[in-house]
Amino acid sequence: DAKTTQPPSMDCAEGRAANLPCNHSTISGNEYVYWYRQIHSQGPQYIIHGLKNNETNEMASLIITEDRKSSTLILPHATLRDTAVYYCIVTNAGNMLTFGGGTRLMVKP
Amino acid sequence: EAGVVQSPRYKIIEKKQPVAFWCNPISGHNTLYWYRQNLGQGPELLIRYENEEAVDDSQLPKDRFSAERLKGVDSTLKIQPAELGDSAVYLCASSGLPTNTGELFFGEGSRLTVL
C-alpha cells in the first residue's frame, strides 16, 4: 500500500471549515483513499473514501486532486466534537488498513 | 444495532501474568481484526480472520500471543506471559464485505497496563 503524509496537528475554530490535507504521491491506480477518525478513548470510525472523484456524505467531503497524489478531507462546519485524530489511508482493499500517525485536529471555541 | 463489543475495557496486570481479551463482532460480519495501538501511534494489525480462519497473522508475536475465533463469531486474544512492552490498547474490528468498499467497524478497545 502507498504511504501517506499528514501534518501531525492542526487547529480549527468552531463553526469554521476544517481542511485536512494528505499527500500520497506513490498511490497506484487501483488504490482508494480512506479517511478514519479516532476520538479520545474510542476506536477509529470510518468517515469517507474515494477513488478518483470527489465524494461527499453527511460527515465530510473528500477532494482528490486530478493526479491523485494528494487529497483533502473537509469538515464544513467543525464542532468541538470533531476534535480527534484523523487518519488518511491508501489501500487497494478497504478491509486492509495500515494506519499512520494521523493528524490531531483540535477544534477550539 | 449493537456495535463491536470488547471486554474488559481496562486491565492492569503484573509482568509475566497472562491476560485475555474478548471481542464480539457485529452480527453477520465475517471478517474480524485485532489491532494493537501504542500510545500516540496509529493502530497496527495483529491478526485478521475470515470466518474462523486466520488469513493474516504475520504481525502477531507468536511466542506469547495467541488468538482464536471459534465458530467464526466471537474471538479471544491472549497474551502469556505479558511483558512491560505489551502495555497498549487492543482494538477489535469487524467488517461484512471483503471488497474494496468494505469499511471496518471498531470496538472501544481494551486498555492493558503491565506493571
Side-chain angles (χ1 to χ4, degrees):
Chain A
D1 291 346
K3 289 191 66 175
T4 61
T5 302
Q6 299 178 254
S9 65
M10 293 182 62
D11 290 344
C12 177
E14 187 178 19
R16 305 298 291 267
N19 298 286
L20 292 93
C22 180
N23 285 323
H24 32 80
S25 58
T26 60
I27 192 171
S28 59
N30 63 345
E31 289 182 315
Y32 289 73
V33 180
Y34 278 78
W35 284 83
Y36 279 72
R37 75 178 183 184
Q38 187 171 23
I39 295 171
H40 183 62
S41 295
Q42 296 183 22
Q45 175 192 24
Y46 167 84
I47 301 173
I48 199 168
H49 76 281
L51 182 63
K52 295 181 181 179
N53 301 320
N54 299 336
E55 302 288 344
T56 295
N57 63 21
E58 65 279 3
M59 291 184 68
S61 294
L62 173 60
I63 308 298
I64 302 174
T65 58
E66 190 169 345
D67 63 7
R68 303 211 320 126
K69 293 184 177 182
S70 66
S71 60
T72 300
L73 179 75
I74 301 173
L75 309 178
H77 305 287
T79 70
L80 299 179
R81 288 174 294 182
D82 292 321
T83 292
V85 178
Y86 288 77
Y87 297 99
C88 170
I89 302 164
V90 172
T91 178
N92 59 8
N95 62 344
M96 292 295 296
L97 304 178
T98 300
F99 291 84
T103 295
R104 186 172 300 275
L105 175 69
M106 179 72 71
V107 180
K108 298 183 176 180
Chain B
E1 180 183 345
V4 176
V5 179
Q6 292 187 246
S7 69
R9 282 281 279 143
Y10 304 93
K11 188 73 175 180
I12 301 174
I13 61 172
E14 293 188 346
K15 63 181 180 180
K16 300 184 181 179
Q17 294 299 307
V19 63
F21 305 110
W22 174 80
C23 173
N24 182 235
I26 292 174
S27 178
H29 279 190
N30 297 328
T31 309
L32 184 145
Y33 313 74
W34 283 102
Y35 282 82
R36 176 171 60 187
Q37 186 170 26
N38 293 314
L39 188 64
Q41 299 180 20
E44 298 174 305
L45 180 68
L46 292 175
I47 189 168
R48 176 170 66 97
Y49 282 93
E50 294 288 348
N51 297 305
E52 63 273 8
E53 181 183 359
V55 296
D56 184 356
D57 63 354
S58 57
Q59 301 303 312
L60 189 72
K62 299 182 182 62
D63 56 337
R64 297 182 300 107
F65 286 65
S66 64
E68 61 182 11
R69 191 184 184 199
L70 301 177
K71 300 181 181 179
V73 181
D74 294 3
S75 178
T76 303
L77 177 69
K78 297 179 181 178
I79 309 174
Q80 183 171 10
E83 297 179 351
L84 295 177
D86 295 332
S87 294
V89 176
Y90 292 84
L91 292 160
C92 179
S94 69
S95 66
L97 296 171
T99 68
N100 285 348
T101 60
E103 66 182 88
L104 270 64
F105 295 83
F106 285 82
E108 293 188 306
S110 295
R111 181 178 296 278
L112 173 66
T113 301
V114 182
L115 302 177

